[in-house]
Amino acid sequence: MHSMIVPMGQHQLPKLAYAYNALEPVISSRLLQIHHDLHHKAYVEGLNKAELKLSEARRKRDFSLIKHWERELAFHGSGHILHSIYWTSMAPLGNRWETPGAQTIKHIMSYFDSLAIFGEQFTEAAINVEASGWALLVWQPAWGRLEILTIEKHQDLFQAGGIPILVLDVWEHAYYLDYQNKRKDYVTAWWQLVNWQDVERRLMLAMQAQMPLS
Ligand code: MN
């Protein structure tokens, strides 16, 4: 099995698997709609544009704006991927596993020692992201275990090769409408929405990846 191939410049905004109001009261309908329909859409469009501009640059053999378009490719490409995972990282009450799956628990325990300590590090990492960014649980195929990482913007500070399996958006656009400047309240409430079934699914797929260092 391999991933779906997306033709150049043809990325699409994925549909949400739940209604806009499905994550209330943690995330309001209005916030979710703006976040998905406007913010995420802009990253999809930015990614498509960067790919097409780079294609044009190759055709014309004019790389004078290469620094700009490579940056756009990274920013919007990561923005699109992270938002897509973010939507599936959450699910409405009653429609998701309330606790981590067997593989998730096993790997969290073996690296973080306990679920509580894992949760505490993830929460603190998210709260302390400077300005706009993300907290992520990733599977690092280069050393065959989990890692908690943070990202500034959509791409800075990431560890190459890591495969995100649980992500939390801490850009102000992800919470300001509902929580104003109280990021900690948003992060704390967000745990109620975590879709552990999706985390388990992503972990099982990520564990199949190979990242040889020699
Ligand atoms: Mn966002």
Side-chain angles (χ1 to χ4, degrees):
M1 179 187 132
H2 61 80
S3 300
M4 183 175 70
I5 295 170
V6 180
M8 187 193 308
Q10 293 184 34
H11 300 279
Q12 294 188 359
L13 181 65
K15 285 194 169 65
L16 292 174
Y18 37 78
Y20 292 124
N21 66 1
L23 304 182
E24 291 185 343
V26 177
I27 294 175
S28 71
S29 178
R30 180 166 161 72
L31 193 160
L32 185 58
Q33 184 165 10
I34 292 170
H35 195 179
H36 176 268
D37 293 8
L38 303 181
H39 290 281
H40 187 172
K41 183 167 175 251
Y43 300 127
V44 173
E45 290 171 350
L47 172 60
N48 285 333
K49 183 174 181 182
E51 289 184 351
L52 295 173
K53 287 289 185 180
L54 284 163
S55 171
E56 186 183 321
R58 289 192 292 276
R59 197 167 59 245
K60 293 179 175 171
R61 302 186 78 165
D62 173 4
F63 295 103
S64 53
L65 294 176
I66 190 68
K67 188 173 174 182
H68 173 72
W69 291 116
E70 291 290 357
R71 186 197 169 281
E72 291 285 286
L73 184 65
F75 178 81
H76 292 287
S78 290
H80 174 39
I81 288 171
L82 291 172
H83 280 92
S84 300
I85 298 172
Y86 176 63
W87 309 130
T88 69
S89 287
M90 302 182 288
L93 263 175
N95 195 22
R96 59 187 152 83
W97 296 2
E98 304 294 323
T99 53
Q103 288 297 316
T104 306
I105 285 183
K106 179 183 149 195
H107 287 280
I108 284 177
M109 295 298 286
S110 75
Y111 187 52
F112 298 99
D113 292 330
S114 81
L115 275 175
I117 293 170
F118 155 73
E120 191 175 322
Q121 181 180 337
F122 192 98
T123 295
E124 287 301 316
I127 291 169
N128 285 284
V129 170
E130 202 170 323
S132 300
W134 298 78
L136 311 87
L137 178 64
V138 308
W139 176 259
Q140 176 50 271
W143 29 88
R145 56 174 167 74
L146 295 170
E147 208 69 275
I148 290 171
L149 294 173
T150 56
I151 287 179
E152 288 179 7
K153 297 187 287 182
H154 295 316
Q155 76 282 31
D156 292 352
L157 306 183
F158 195 60
Q159 185 184 67
I163 300 173
I165 62 171
L166 172 67
V167 305
L168 171 55
D169 189 342
V170 291
W171 280 57
E172 282 189 347
H173 72 218
Y175 63 89
Y176 207 86
L177 201 59
D178 292 348
Y179 296 86
Q180 290 76 51
N181 62 331
K182 301 182 198 77
R183 183 191 287 182
K184 185 178 182 177
D185 291 355
Y186 158 67
V187 170
T188 304
W190 170 82
W191 283 106
Q192 301 170 61
L193 297 176
V194 171
N195 181 3
W196 290 109
Q197 185 170 8
D198 191 68
V199 175
E200 182 86 352
R201 175 180 73 101
R202 291 188 182 281
L203 175 61
M204 301 289 275
L205 289 170
M207 286 169 63
Q208 297 173 26
Q210 301 284 318
M211 180 69 68
L213 298 185
S214 61

